[in-house]
Amino acid sequence: MMKKVFISGAFNVLHAGHIQFFREAKALGDYLIVSFPPADLLWKLYDKKSVLDDADKLELLRSIAYIDEVVLSTDEDVELSFRSAFIEAKPDVLAVTTDDLYTEAKRALCAECGAELVVLPKTPPVGKVTTSTAVVDRIKAPLHVPLRVDFAGGWLDVPEHAIPGEFVVNCSISPTVSLKEWNYRQGAGMGGSGGWSVLNGWDPVGSELGLGVGWQDPAVIAETGACVWHSGARPVLDFKNTGEFLRGCMAVYDTRIKHDTPGLAALSRNYGKIAKAARVARLGVLEQDITVLAVAVSLSYQVQLEEGMQPLERIGESLAHKYCGGGHGGYALYMYETPEARAAALQACPYLYPIEPYCRTFGKDEQVPWEPQYLERLRAQNVFKDHF
């Protein structure tokens, strides 16, 4: 006697995880029936927009070798939208995965119909769990993102070091990066791992917190502009502006020293002084005053020196400088009062590079390339061999 197995799902974006589910479900019997709700019901019951037209989804599912029959789920019931199709099919087994949200309702349906409920483990295909949401997030991910410089408040974005009522102040910058072009050194201290997560459509904040560091990098990379954030466990924006008051006045210096924030997270540092610098930086961004912001940067740098970072040389007529991030290396931020002062410093120091504030407008995904002269400088210094 032929043993029928029934499974249901949205199957909104077919991926390797679904194929694994189909394979394991088919192994439970001889005949596999797959059910999914049509687009209108998917939207009505689950607030999900169907990625594929119903006819396309039917054709794709029918073409998969493990599947013998495809039916529609038509009941306006969040837990059992496939109820009518299930009763009509008279299957012997209803298969679900361990993360199924409605297992108990399905167990009751099986008891009513004399079927067996089998809970399959969520077996990852090729060693990696894939979800439709992850696929969609990757598709929606931007093609280019800025990196960031932090002015003050670094470490107050790490949940265990957060101080209620205090701030984290930073700014997204160009030139931008992409999965194809990444013209900064690895370990730059400018939010590279956060930018990489955003480009890949991963959960960038979760990824950074998982490394034992803070959320400021992916937060400002996704938000863009000159931003003031509330210190806390997750990013909450206080206010932002475009950062245009900084145009022509910022540069980064390549220290050629490896940057390692996670490896140095446990070091002792003065969080009270970090918070004081951030309050000054907040005022500088609020008033769009680079001289006030430079005071905050200098205060942050003093904390870095007290922590044990190596002193930075003054380059040109800089207002202030500090390491970008807490990793004792990578790039350092230098601030200048005028574009002319920055231009003179750029000419004098071969390891200094101009950066500009970056603020995405109206959802534009803009690439901002390196100027040719600085691209040649990067090539001459073999920066590309260490790209993220």
Side-chain angles (χ1 to χ4, degrees), residues 343-357:
L346 290 168
Q347 187 171 2
C349 180
Y351 289 98
L352 193 68
Y353 295 91
I355 57 170
E356 303 296 354

Side-chain angles (χ1 to χ4, degrees), residues 147 182 190-198 202 204 207-208 211 213 217 388:
L147 293 187
W182 195 290
M190 296 193 295
S193 59
W196 191 255
S197 295
V198 173
W202 301 336
S207 297
E208 292 296 283
L211 292 173
V213 296
D217 298 352
F388 192 87

Side-chain angles (χ1 to χ4, degrees), residues 19-349:
I19 302 301
Q20 183 80 7
F21 183 33
F22 300 150
R23 180 187 299 118
E24 294 181 1
K26 180 62 177 284
L28 298 173
D30 308 297
Y31 190 85
L32 179 61
I33 305 168
V34 173
S35 181
F36 72 89
D40 58 347
L41 195 61
L42 185 66
W43 180 256
K44 185 174 183 178
L45 294 183
Y46 308 106
D47 292 326
K48 290 184 178 180
K49 182 179 180 181
S50 183
V51 174
L52 296 173
D53 180 83
D54 291 339
D56 287 342
K57 192 179 291 187
L58 277 166
E59 187 64 26
L60 282 171
L61 289 169
R62 285 169 177 163
S63 70
I64 295 171
Y66 302 110
I67 299 174
D68 298 291
E69 184 180 348
V70 183
V71 297
L72 293 178
S73 303
T74 57
D75 296 271
E76 295 189 9
D77 181 339
V78 171
E79 296 186 335
L80 297 171
S81 62
F82 61 89
R83 180 185 178 88
S84 296
F86 184 85
I87 292 173
E88 183 177 347
K90 297 182 174 63
D92 302 285
V93 175
L94 173 60
V96 299
T97 54
T98 51
D99 62 346
D100 191 277
L101 298 176
Y102 310 116
T103 300
E104 292 311 309
K106 293 176 181 180
R107 194 183 305 279
L109 176 63
C110 287
E112 176 186 332
C113 299
E116 177 188 5
L117 180 74
V118 175
V119 181
L120 294 169
K122 192 84 170 182
T123 308
V126 200
K128 184 175 182 180
V129 175
T130 307
T131 66
S132 296
T133 300
V135 174
V136 172
D137 286 345
R138 186 172 177 84
I139 293 169
K140 291 165 61 178
L143 299 178
H144 310 93
V145 298
L147 293 187
R148 70 100 183 102
V149 290
D150 61 316
F151 301 125
W155 296 109
L156 301 186
D157 58 320
V158 179
E160 64 188 275
H161 301 311
I163 302 175
E166 301 297 349
F167 305 97
V168 178
V169 187
N170 50 27
C171 183
S172 59
I173 58 149
S174 63
T176 56
V177 296
S178 70
L179 295 177
K180 182 179 180 181
E181 290 185 304
W182 195 290
N183 298 329
Y184 296 89
R185 288 192 190 275
Q186 184 178 359
M190 296 193 295
S193 59
W196 191 255
S197 295
V198 173
L199 286 166
N200 279 282
W202 301 336
D203 170 14
V205 170
S207 297
E208 292 296 283
L209 293 177
L211 292 173
V213 296
W215 44 255
Q216 71 157 307
D217 298 352
V220 71
I221 287 168
E223 180 67 36
T224 75
C227 295
V228 177
W229 307 86
H230 292 282
S231 172
R234 305 285 295 188
V236 176
L237 186 66
D238 183 30
F239 68 90
K240 63 177 278 189
N241 59 45
T242 63
E244 279 301 302
F245 72 101
L246 298 167
R247 186 163 297 279
C249 299
M250 295 190 296
V252 288
Y253 172 66
D254 182 1
T255 68
R256 288 93 69 204
I257 301 170
K258 182 68 175 178
H259 170 96
D260 180 21
T261 300
L264 299 167
L267 288 181
S268 176
R269 56 186 62 86
N270 192 320
Y271 296 102
K273 288 185 177 180
I274 290 172
K276 178 182 178 180
R279 291 195 295 273
V280 177
R282 180 181 185 274
L283 182 63
V285 173
L286 180 64
E287 297 186 349
Q288 300 189 47
D289 188 327
I290 192 170
T291 58
V292 174
L293 192 57
V295 171
V297 169
S298 293
L299 290 171
S300 298
Y301 176 56
Q302 289 305 312
V303 177
Q304 292 181 331
L305 293 178
E306 291 172 11
E307 184 182 320
M309 297 191 195
Q310 293 299 308
L312 293 164
E313 60 183 286
R314 191 178 184 197
I315 304 174
E317 297 299 318
S318 61
L319 289 172
H321 52 254
K322 68 176 288 291
Y323 287 92
C324 297
H328 290 231
Y331 288 78
L333 168 68
Y334 280 71
M335 302 181 71
Y336 297 87
E337 190 169 9
T338 65
E340 292 75 19
R342 184 183 73 169
L346 290 168
Q347 187 171 2
C349 180

